[in-house]
Amino acid sequence: MKKTTIWLLTIIMALTFCSLLYIQIMYMNNMIRMRDDQFAEGVRRALYSVSTSLEQDETRYFLEEDAAAMQASLYQREDGTGSLNYSFTTPEGLEANIIISSDKNTVPSLEQKPPVSANAGKYRSLQETIKGQYLYQKGLLNEVILNILSQSSNRPIHERADSTAVASYLKTEFQNNGLNLPFEFAVVNRAARIVYKSHGYDPATVGRNNMFVQALFPNDPASRMNYIKVYFPTKYDYIMSSMKFLIPSFIFTLILLMVFVYTIVVAFRQKRLTEMKNDFINNMTHEFKTPISSISLAAQMLNDDSVRKSPGMMQHIATVINDETKRLRFQVEKVLQLSMFERQKATLRLQEIDANSAISNIISTFKLKVESYGGKIEADLRAENALVEVDEMHFTNVIFNLLDNAVKYRREDEPLRLTVSTADVGGDKLEIRISDNGIGIKREDLKKIFEKFYRVSTGNRHDVKGFGLGLAYVHKMVRELNGAIRAESDFGHGTTFIINLPLTTIN
């Protein structure tokens, strides 16, 4: 799959996931807003019902008192007539007195059938008169009730709205509106001073849009108004509990998003690995081609009779075949190192060696190669304790690989200078430094140089031979030996590889 195709799929899937998450978030916000509005509407209806119930209690209280007073003024006369006397003051300050009298013998019953005699017209006239008196008396009674309500504001609020009754009304009305959750309330006056409150009432803990206010007696004068304030400590949990069905949707979406991201990362990793393997195959082909061609040419020369008759030429051809065979075997061994990366643990033959002595022997062997390029290699083995437990063959290969890299990536305009040093670090570690003055490594490549098949110069460039396995092998073997390796480089001025290995003994 092309890289552009992967990027296109990534962008499309990313936009799809972002849109899906946006829709889910917007839907959740709308649901929360709708539930909050429904909650507020239910609370307002409940508070209005509580206020109405308190007004009805107030009216019932005054009517019962006035009924007792009116009952005393109702009397029965000896001639069979009765009267009802009621005094009141209108809101405009006018005083009035209502006397309703009747004679049960002279006033006909409304339920009586109208006479069919000549008195029918007189009966209808009397009926209209009674109806008019009824409507007039009804209007007066309405004014009497309003007057009662206006005068009731003079009573203390504790008597008009008992805290126990208010709490009972609130609980009942909230349950009737489907709001069966804890609440706290307080009754305050016009100056916002608390008259009484519930035990857990604390305005400091009230969240946004969670305080509801309702006038207890809306018909009271403005100067005598009292209000009830209610809030719900668990309102947020109550509203969010209705959103539980959205949680699985979010979880599944996030799981899909993580799987998608992981898939894209793996796709890019596999793409890069494929490119590295292609580079490896190209480089391996060129690496094998040279020794094979040399051996083939030597074999052809052996078919020449004149060559077979010359001992010197035979010796030269034998040397060429031997050298190229060693070179080919060395490349094959590098390829076989691939199998080591597929195993979790390499097979090591650990033994205690003196790192200073081993490194000194390696430098002696490698010195000729460095000098053949006009370079110089120096040793600074200052570690007093250099006993480490390693596989000697792999330890030697690690140092050889690092020195070989220094030769490969040398600068053409300056003689090669190599320095190998050892030092004690922290008393329980041996530090090995291999420094050169080569071309260096760019910062973006420095963190990738230990990856399998990775080469700073990729593609079909073959000015520097290799498979991209050397440093990966070095990194794996150092880790297998319970050590650590890192690289420091200044591009254009050289590179230093630092290896730390645990000591077997501590001075």
Side-chain angles (χ1 to χ4, degrees), residues 159-175:
E159 297 179 5
R160 301 175 66 192
D162 180 68
S163 61
T164 304
V166 171
S168 178
Y169 281 142
L170 285 173
K171 183 176 182 180
T172 301
E173 294 300 331
F174 287 152
Q175 289 179 348

Side-chain angles (χ1 to χ4, degrees), residues 66-77 81-88 96-103 137 140-141 144:
D66 290 347
M70 288 188 293
Q71 187 176 6
S73 64
L74 181 63
Y75 60 92
Q76 183 71 29
R77 297 187 182 185
T81 64
S83 65
L84 178 65
N85 188 355
Y86 185 76
S87 299
F88 64 92
N97 190 37
I98 300 175
I99 300 176
I100 304 174
S101 61
S102 66
D103 187 344
Q137 298 297 336
L140 290 177
L141 287 174
V144 169

